[in-house]
Amino acid sequence: MMKKTLLTALGGVAVGALVASGALAQEVTLRLHQFLPAQANVPALVLDVWADQVEEASGGRIEIERYPSMQLGGAPPELMDQAIDGVADIVWTVVGYTPGRFPSTEVFELPFMVADARAASCAYWTMYEESMQEEFSDVHLLGTWVHGPGMFHTVDPVEVPADLEGMQIRGGSRLVNQLLELTGATPVGMPVPAVTEALSRGVLDGTTIPWEVTAALRVPELVENHTGFEGNGLYTLTFVLAMNNDAYAAMPEDLQQILDENSGLDFSIFAGGTQADADGPARELAVDAGNNIIMVDAASVEADWLPVVEPIYDSWIADVGESGLDGQALIDRARELMEGDCANAGQ
């Protein structure tokens, strides 16, 4: 009995010493929430890699619990608010799921704006630090990036804008939806996970997504035609890895530093580049399936497609101007970075 009492007392002293030294108080568990299955490319190749690096760099003092497929509840468009409200500590989300809320980011979603995901992801983080922090003041941003070139995946082939007339197409963003409307297609809004069922049921005639996500959604099994573009891609979507402000503030400074050292510019370039690199293997699955892959050449882009999208640039500049933003200046800065300081990002 005396031995048991002594051990208990010694145990209490040891725990007290750990608490006094801060060893226990500084352990942090963070919940990372996102909308794709765990085995999809972004969770497996980007988010898990990042989370593992943070855990390792912290010596195990930071644990990042991963919740794929909206396992903490809600719908994908609610993810940003979940980060703000603390439902999750960290979220990965599509900025365009909340259209108009972060207008500066849409500069990278304009049609035929982006040629290279690494360069654009670099420019995106640079412009976030320069001019977007007020828009994202409700969260602590850890990464900003875009995917590889967006494209059409359709039941019937698409080579010129008129081929889209009458089709029901899932649009990748509000700006792509505007493009679809200008061609005579009907844009259908839905989160990425809903695309498989919508195609299989014939609710959609096609979708706009990059190659890399087509395998997870079984798109090559459901449609036979895929249309890409030489030069700049049809569109890109913008993503953020965002953290609850209070969760970040509650961390010890040394753990905040570890989190930040594994985030930011280099991580954003890695994330965008990794996502774009996954396009190739996914495209091969469509090739192996014998699908029809159409590449619209630069001359056709210039003659047939750019005249269709030109009004979108004009209307976007006017729209963001109502929010006090200089849209043309954002376009010019993004292009300057992508063609200049960010041109060789990640190389």
Side-chain angles (χ1 to χ4, degrees), residues 116-127:
D116 180 81
R118 287 180 172 86
S121 299
C122 168
Y124 183 6
W125 181 266
T126 302
M127 292 177 67

Side-chain angles (χ1 to χ4, degrees), residues 5-27:
T5 302
L6 180 60
L7 289 172
T8 301
L10 289 172
V13 170
V15 170
L18 285 170
V19 172
S21 70
L24 287 183
Q26 293 182 358
E27 292 181 355

